[in-house]
Amino acid sequence: MHERTSRAMARLLFVACCAMPTLLTLAVIIVCRSPWYHRSEIRALESKLEIRTGLDFQIGDFHRAAPDRIELSDVQLRHPETGRPVLDLYRVTWQRNDQGTVIRIVQPKLHHDQISAAWYLIHDRYLCQSQHTQSPTTILVDGLTVGDFTFRDIDAQIVPHPQTVEVIASAVPASGNGIDDVIEATVMRDRSGVLPSTNWWINTNTAQLPCRVLNDFIPWMKRLGDSAQFAGMMALETGLDDMVVDLSGARFSDIDLATFAENLPHRMGGTAEIRFDRCVLQSDQRHDIAGQITCDGGGFIAATLLTPLADQFGVQIDPQWARQRDVGFDRFSAWFEINGRSMQATGNCNRLETYLPPDVLASVGGRPILMLPPTGPLDSAALAYLAAPLQSPMVPLTQATRPILKWLQPGAPEINGGSPAARLSRIRSLDDSSPAAISQPR
């Protein structure tokens, strides 16, 4: 080959095999480093996550530190319909290794009124889809804030099994100091039955969990007030046509009676505590409950509540307090047991003040003012009289009429002599078995 031809071929090979690939590599690097390409990657990742989670994603920045490691910062999850923020994440690191996937989340903030949306993300879009839970996953959370409550550390393990997937989590409140202050939770998705079911358990050990954290997820906890605390164990088991809630050994403290009575016809005040020795609630109303309610810091109940207490439970009252608009007390304590359709109750203030006689329901200055002797088996529906206005009409309640009452509200006929004094005339006195002598209004 001629020397000039050889040089030309050498130059051509240099351009084709060296210069061109180098220029292409530089071009790719420049394009990949450009802001518009970086933003397009973020949009593609947001779209992928939205399809997978069902929530809107807004990612501030994205960095691929390694082929198997992704870092996201300033992430916000929003509800797709309302646009309200659900979860804010300062930084998220996702990494896959031989043992599974590790997700580290730094300073997340969960909006407490969107806990149900967060549960939907975890449960419906993740645990209920087996293709997402085929390999173990570890989630490490640093500084989770729910409303105004903060968990210092959270460690969750997602462990797949042939027929189930299990989430085992532990959390340390910001105020926790020792090992006993760890809140433990387990969620299990069981696919072995005819229909899959989800069961979960929570144990606070010695820590206390503010009930307001779960207000959006468990609406009835709003009735306990903003200061209410939960401690102990709680379990929820769901079946094909049944749901069982187990609160045995649980304790609800700092219950605001004024908030609890907001939707009741009788006013109450004070701070109470409820302890359950056993508490199994079933959707078919076969409940088994035993525990005690205590108000140790003083409070009051409206005099209008005395009539149903006397009629349904045989409560007796000191005559001098029967004429009051509100009955104030220093101590209030009662033991109760509900088993299906029957219930029993008795006062036990002598547990708080040992010098008091048995069966004291409430006391002032060391003197009994309300007595609740042990009741025989009563119809558990007697509790409904405490929540119903005194003028409420009697309506038949059966499995057949229950759906009707959801749509139709019975009227409230006027009752003659409906003043508080007239209603209290039926209350038994502590001095004798005759009704308290209260004159009728003129």
Side-chain angles (χ1 to χ4, degrees):
M1 182 180 297
H2 196 274
E3 181 179 355
R4 294 180 61 185
T5 304
S6 299
R7 291 179 180 177
M9 291 294 295
R11 293 191 184 100
L12 181 61
L13 289 173
F14 172 78
V15 171
C17 298
C18 185
M20 289 298 295
T22 300
L23 292 176
L24 289 175
T25 302
L26 290 174
V28 170
I29 292 174
I30 292 173
V31 170
C32 292
R33 294 285 183 177
S34 63
W36 64 266
Y37 181 83
H38 183 65
R39 192 60 210 168
S40 67
E41 276 194 310
I42 293 177
R43 285 197 296 267
L45 183 58
E46 289 175 342
S47 178
K48 182 178 180 180
L49 291 173
E50 288 171 358
I51 294 174
R52 179 165 176 172
T53 64
L55 298 175
D56 288 343
F57 269 75
Q58 295 181 2
I59 300 175
D61 199 5
F62 159 80
H63 175 61
R64 190 182 295 274
D68 59 351
R69 180 185 175 92
I70 296 176
E71 295 181 0
L72 308 177
S73 59
D74 298 329
V75 182
Q76 186 176 74
L77 283 69
R78 291 181 172 271
H79 194 282
E81 292 183 301
T82 64
R84 300 186 62 179
V86 175
L87 184 64
D88 299 328
L89 309 173
Y90 175 70
R91 186 169 64 249
V92 182
T93 302
W94 179 92
Q95 185 173 7
R96 183 181 295 275
N97 53 38
D98 296 337
Q99 287 73 38
T101 302
V102 178
I103 301 175
R104 182 179 293 275
I105 305 174
V106 178
Q107 296 180 3
K109 179 181 179 181
L110 174 61
H111 297 264
H112 74 277
D113 59 344
Q114 296 293 319
I115 291 181
S116 57
W119 172 250
Y120 167 79
L121 167 63
I122 297 172
H123 180 262
D124 293 18
R125 306 291 295 197
Y126 190 78
L127 295 181
C128 292
Q129 301 188 33
S130 57
Q131 68 271 22
H132 299 328
T133 57
Q134 295 179 354
S135 62
T137 301
T138 300
I139 301 176
L140 305 174
V141 181
D142 180 15
L144 170 63
T145 300
V146 183
D148 58 354
F149 187 76
T150 301
F151 294 95
R152 188 168 64 237
D153 297 299
I154 297 178
D155 185 353
Q157 303 286 334
I158 301 176
V159 184
H161 302 286
Q163 295 295 329
T164 62
V165 59
E166 190 175 20
V167 181
I168 304 172
S170 61
V172 179
S175 58
N177 296 318
I179 298 177
D180 293 336
D181 291 333
V182 176
I183 299 175
E184 301 172 331
T186 301
V187 181
M188 178 178 291
R189 182 66 175 174
D190 187 357
R191 306 185 181 101
S192 60
V194 178
L195 289 178
S197 61
T198 302
N199 304 327
W200 60 269
W201 301 264
I202 183 172
N203 183 10
T204 66
N205 294 302
T206 61
Q208 290 189 332
L209 182 65
C211 294
R212 65 181 181 274
V213 173
L214 301 175
N215 280 352
D216 186 58
F217 188 60
I218 307 178
W220 60 264
M221 283 194 175
K222 296 179 181 178
R223 299 284 301 274
L224 305 181
D226 292 336
S227 300
Q229 305 275 339
F230 167 78
M233 297 186 64
M234 180 189 301
L236 174 64
E237 300 181 11
T238 59
L240 182 60
D241 296 314
D242 191 20
M243 181 176 67
V244 179
V245 179
D246 191 347
L247 290 168
S248 299
R251 174 172 60 91
F252 293 91
S253 59
D254 298 331
I255 299 172
D256 184 3
L257 293 179
T259 302
F260 182 79
E262 282 182 351
N263 296 325
L264 299 179
H266 315 290
R267 297 183 308 115
M268 292 187 288
T271 302
E273 176 182 280
I274 299 178
R275 290 177 178 267
F276 292 109
D277 299 327
R278 65 179 188 274
C279 181
V280 180
L281 308 176
Q282 303 187 47
S283 55
D284 58 3
Q285 299 181 350
R286 291 183 289 109
H287 308 317
D288 183 15
I289 307 171
Q292 58 187 11
I293 178 172
T294 303
C295 187
D296 195 18
F300 71 90
I301 59 175
T304 55
L305 186 58
L306 298 179
T307 296
L309 283 174
D311 291 345
Q312 302 301 323
F313 298 93
V315 171
Q316 303 172 12
I317 184 172
D318 189 318
Q320 75 177 49
W321 291 93
R323 299 174 177 85
Q324 304 294 326
R325 181 171 180 264
D326 295 323
V327 179
F329 54 82
D330 294 335
R331 304 283 190 274
F332 181 97
S333 183
W335 172 87
F336 58 90
E337 181 178 22
I338 302 174
N339 193 345
R341 296 183 178 180
S342 65
M343 70 168 295
Q344 301 181 67
T346 184
N348 65 345
C349 273
N350 58 333
R351 184 183 62 85
L352 303 176
E353 298 176 314
T354 56
Y355 56 84
L356 288 173
D359 308 332
V360 177
L361 180 62
S363 66
V364 169
R367 178 186 174 185
I369 60 171
L370 293 177
M371 300 289 291
L372 176 58
T375 61
L378 300 174
D379 192 333
S380 58
L383 288 173
Y385 288 89
L386 303 183
L390 295 176
Q391 69 273 18
S392 297
M394 299 290 290
V395 295
L397 181 61
T398 65
Q399 294 294 335
T401 61
R402 192 183 304 275
I404 299 176
L405 296 177
K406 292 182 178 180
W407 295 92
L408 302 178
Q409 183 176 0
E414 295 183 0
I415 299 178
N416 295 328
S419 66
R423 292 194 293 267
L424 292 177
S425 63
R426 302 196 303 274
I427 298 177
R428 297 180 60 187
S429 169
L430 285 178
D431 295 342
D432 52 36
S433 59
S434 61
I438 299 179
S439 60
Q440 298 289 339
R442 296 180 181 180

